[in-house]
Structures are given as structure tokens and as C-alpha cells.
């Protein structure tokens, strides 16, 4: 299924385009047998307008929820709110509680797109008191991870180490805390990143290499096999500016428009995979989750393709390793 992002800013502008996109998503799910749900994003908005915008948008959301392909969780239609509690967002604690009160009065399941450090506070969490209670009110807790692990002026092996450290320092204890408060837990995984076209004035070309799928697969393996989660959020289907898209991207540089610096699959040495490889990799994990099974530790490359060699096993990744995984990254840069 898919979460359709709906920015509060678009509601305030009464964006008909955003409504058409939602209609297209709904029609596509009906045609393909998939499910979808709405994810509100509070980025860029002050708290005093967020609640009013959600109340204004409720008739549209309620109508979508009547559709056969709208996602339900634990018997209720699902809606997500992303961004409350982030240090870089402008929603306060009282507004966050009011938003949760509003949706709970509508008998929906509320998913929270939370800061990474929701459980302990600090770092990316807003430095005001009361957020620990807000986060624990969500029916599903889904901490953001994009950019939280990768190698900076290091090696491919260090990238894997940072992913493996994340599962022990965050996912496993996060899952335990979510269960303690009666919430479900949905970690976020991403295929890699390249933010060359973001307006930050910094060179970020291929700053988190995909390694032919290994960057994503290691996250999936850790979340499913080592942590034992039963749901995962893939970020993002069509995120172009941060280079995290799962949808089809060019197989090679020759397929990229002339003079356009855009990400392509064989940007990492030794990689040759089809345009839809990222959907295939995600699909392997989805099949395992639906069946209640683990995934293999080794990512099986597609027939006729070229993928990097298998990295060291998770339990020995901290040991000295030679070959492909201990070589410096061909392209460096901080996230």
C-alpha cells in the first residue's frame, strides 16, 4: 500500500491539484487491489493553523475513508500525522494534544511520524516539556530515519556498521517501549540518498550510496530478523529532491538527459540492475512480512544483473573486513 502525503500548506491554499493526486492514488489502488491512506505533514506551519486546517479537511478525508481500498488498522481507518515534536517544526504540545483529541473523536487509528529520539528526548526532539506524553498517545509510532545513518568520509563497511548500530540503539528498544504503552511500531527504511538539487548550497551528490540494494536490504534484514517488527514504512515512493525514491530510476548514466545531474542505478561501481529494482527489493520484504517470515541475510541479485558482493554478516560486521566493503567510498559527503 501507499501513504499519500497531504501537506497542511496545500489545505490552506485549497489546492485542487493535491485533491486530484489523492483521487488518482485512490483510483490506482482500486484498479490494482492495493490500499492507501492519508498522511498529513505539518512542515512549515505554525500550530495555531494546523488544527483548523485538519478540521476543515475532515469531510474530504471522511469521504476517502469510505472507499473499499482505504487502509484500516485494528478495525479503524488509519490516518498519519508527520512532523509534530520535531525541533525544526512549529507545532506546540497543546496543539499536538488537540490534534490527537480531534482524530480520536472520529474513531480513527492515528499514526505518528515522530522524531528519531522520541523515546529518550533530545537531539531532533523539540526542547519543550510534554512531548513524551504526546508521542506515547499515537496508536502507531513511526520514527524518521532518513539521513540518520551513512558513512561520512569513511568506508562502505562503516555505513553497514551505522545501520547495525541503529537497530540495537533505536529499533529494538523503541519497539519494546511502544509495546509497553500499547502502541504498534513502524520503523522507516530508505534505499539511499542523493540531495544534489536541494536548496542547501552544499554538494550532496549520492551522499548515501545504495550499493545496488545492500543499503536498503541491511535495514530490512535488521528490522525484520533482528528486531522482529511486523510493519515497515518505506521512504519514499517518489522523493526526488532527497534521492530516496523507490520508483523507477534510470539504469545507467546514458539514460539520463544530457547535462542533467540525476541519480541512476549504476552510479555505484559494479552495479547493473533494472529501473524497478528498488520496488523489487521492497517487494521481497513485503512478502516476508505478510507471511510472518524472516528474510534471507543475503540479497539475491536479479537474473542477468550485477550486484556488489555480499557484505559481512551482521554479527561480525565490526571485525576487520577486506575487499569491496572495506574500500573508501567513491563519493563522500555529510548528510
Amino acid at each position: 500500500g501507499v501513504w499519500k502525503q497531504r501537506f497542511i500548506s496545500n489545505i490552506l491554499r485549497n489546492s485542487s491539484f493535491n485533491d486530484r493526486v489523492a483521487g488518482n492514488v485512490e483510483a490506482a489502488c482500486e484498479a490494482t487491489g492495493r490500499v492507501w491512506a492519508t498522511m498529513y505533514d505539518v512542515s512549515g506551519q505554525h500550530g495555531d493553523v494546523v488544527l483548523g486546517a485538519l478540521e476543515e479537511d475532515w469531510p474530504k478525508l471522511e469521504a476517502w475513508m469510505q472507499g473499499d481500498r482505504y487502509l484500516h488498522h485494528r478495525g479503524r481507518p488509519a490516518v498519519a500525522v508527520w512532523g509534530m515534536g520535531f525541533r525544526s517544526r512549529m507545532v506546540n504540545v497543546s496543539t499536538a494534544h488537540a490534534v490527537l483529541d480531534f482524530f480520536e473523536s472520529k474513531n480513527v487509528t492515528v499514526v505518528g511520524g515522530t522524531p528519531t529520539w522520541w523515546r529518550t528526548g533530545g537531539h531532533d526532539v523539540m526542547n519543550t516539556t510534554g512531548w513524551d506524553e504526546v508521542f506515547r498517545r499515537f496508536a502507531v509510532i513511526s520514527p524518521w530515519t532518513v539521513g540518520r545513518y551513512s558513512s561520512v568520509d569513511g568506508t562502505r563497511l562503516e555505513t553497514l556498521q551505522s545501520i547495525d548500530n541503529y537497530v540495537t540503539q533505536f529499533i529494538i528498544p523503541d519497539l519494546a517501549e511502544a509495546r509497553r504503552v500499547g502502541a504498534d511500531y513502524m520503523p522507516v527504511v530508505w534505499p539511499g540518498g542523493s540531495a544534489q538539487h536541494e536548496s542547501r548550497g552544499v554538494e550532496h551528490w549520492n551522499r548515501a550510496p545504495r550499493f545496488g540494494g545492500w543499503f536498503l536490504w541491511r535495514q530490512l534484514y535488521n528490522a525484520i530478523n533482528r528486531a522482529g517488527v511486523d510493519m515497515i514504512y518505506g521512504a519514499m515512493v517518489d522523493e526526488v529532491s532527497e534521492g530516496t525514491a523507490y520508483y523507477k530510476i534510470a539504469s545507467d548514466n546514458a539514460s539520463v538527459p544530457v547535462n542533467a545531474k540525476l541519480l541512476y542505478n549504476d552510479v555505484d561501481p559494479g552495479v547493473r540492475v533494472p529501473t524497478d529494482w528498488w520496488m523489487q527489493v521492497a517487494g521481497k520484504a513485503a512478502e516476508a512480512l505478510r507471511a510472518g517470515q524472516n528474510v534471507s541475510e543475503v540479497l539475491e541479485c536479479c537474473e542477468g544483473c550485477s550486484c556488489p558482493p555480499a557484505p559481512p554478516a551482521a554479527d561480525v560486521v565490526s571485525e576487520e573486513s577486506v575487499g569491496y566493503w572495506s574500500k573508501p567510498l567513491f563519493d563522500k559527503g555529510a548528510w
Side-chain angles (χ1 to χ4, degrees):
V2 63
W3 288 95
K4 163 65 178 67
Q5 275 192 303
R6 191 165 176 82
F7 285 85
I8 299 298
S9 57
N10 287 332
I11 299 173
L12 296 173
R13 292 198 304 266
N14 195 26
S15 170
S16 60
F17 172 79
N18 195 264
D19 291 347
R20 291 198 303 274
V21 172
N24 290 339
V25 170
E26 181 180 43
C29 288
E30 290 173 350
T32 60
R34 299 181 185 276
V35 294
W36 76 291
T38 300
M39 174 178 284
Y40 289 105
D41 191 319
V42 305
S43 298
Q45 302 304 312
H46 288 279
D48 55 354
V49 303
V50 169
L51 179 59
L54 293 173
E55 292 173 336
E56 176 186 339
D57 204 50
W58 172 253
K60 292 179 180 178
L61 178 60
E62 186 177 32
W64 287 323
M65 287 177 171
Q66 307 307 312
D68 293 339
R69 305 312 305 174
Y70 195 88
L71 177 67
H72 284 61
H73 182 65
R74 300 198 182 280
R76 297 180 294 174
V79 63
V81 182
W82 193 95
M84 295 198 302
F86 279 81
R87 183 181 294 269
S88 57
R89 301 308 188 270
M90 298 177 286
V91 176
N92 59 33
V93 168
S94 61
T95 297
H97 279 300
V99 167
L100 287 168
D101 289 342
F102 170 72
F103 280 126
E104 288 177 2
S105 73
K106 302 299 184 181
N107 197 32
V108 300
T109 295
V110 185
V111 178
T114 71
T116 304
W117 279 267
W118 69 275
R119 175 173 46 84
T120 60
H123 299 275
D124 58 349
V125 178
M126 191 173 287
N127 58 355
T128 52
T129 60
W131 284 108
D132 53 345
E133 182 182 351
V134 172
F135 297 147
R136 287 159 178 80
R137 284 189 63 186
F138 287 117
V140 182
I141 299 170
S142 184
W144 191 241
T145 62
V146 174
R148 297 302 189 264
Y149 37 79
S150 61
S151 178
V152 178
D153 286 346
T155 66
R156 298 173 175 88
L157 182 59
E158 288 174 341
T159 298
L160 291 183
Q161 288 174 326
S162 68
I163 295 172
D164 290 344
N165 289 338
Y166 188 88
V167 71
T168 57
Q169 295 175 9
F170 291 90
I171 297 181
I172 292 175
D174 278 1
L175 177 61
E177 175 63 9
R179 288 175 172 169
R180 185 189 72 80
V181 300
D184 289 314
Y185 181 74
M186 182 169 64
V188 175
V189 299
W190 47 297
S194 179
Q196 176 67 19
H197 299 286
E198 285 191 333
S199 56
R200 298 180 183 175
V202 180
E203 176 75 18
H204 279 320
W205 170 249
N206 200 30
R207 61 184 176 182
R210 299 185 178 211
F211 304 140
W214 277 111
F215 184 87
L216 173 59
W217 193 251
R218 191 56 157 254
Q219 297 170 72
L220 292 167
Y221 172 83
N222 283 344
I224 297 172
N225 292 36
R226 297 180 65 192
V229 305
D230 56 8
M231 63 178 77
I232 293 175
Y233 181 96
M236 305 282 286
V237 172
D238 57 354
E239 177 58 78
V240 175
S241 63
E242 293 184 1
T244 61
Y246 280 79
Y247 70 4
K248 292 182 179 181
I249 63 176
S251 290
D252 50 47
N253 193 27
S255 303
V256 175
V258 177
N259 298 325
K261 194 168 186 180
L262 301 171
L263 194 67
Y264 45 92
N265 282 337
D266 70 351
V267 64
D268 299 324
V271 175
R272 180 68 181 178
V273 293
T275 60
D276 66 346
W277 179 235
W278 314 105
M279 298 299 291
Q280 291 188 41
V281 173
K284 295 174 187 289
E287 290 177 1
L289 284 172
R290 284 193 292 268
Q293 300 175 349
N294 285 341
V295 296
S296 63
E297 186 166 5
V298 176
L299 172 63
E300 182 180 349
C301 198
C302 47
E303 185 175 352
C305 302
S306 175
C307 298
D315 57 350
V316 298
V317 72
S318 61
E319 298 179 7
E320 183 66 23
S321 179
V322 297
Y324 176 90
W325 291 100
S326 62
K327 294 178 181 178
L329 294 172
F330 76 97
D331 195 4
K332 302 173 182 177
W335 184 262

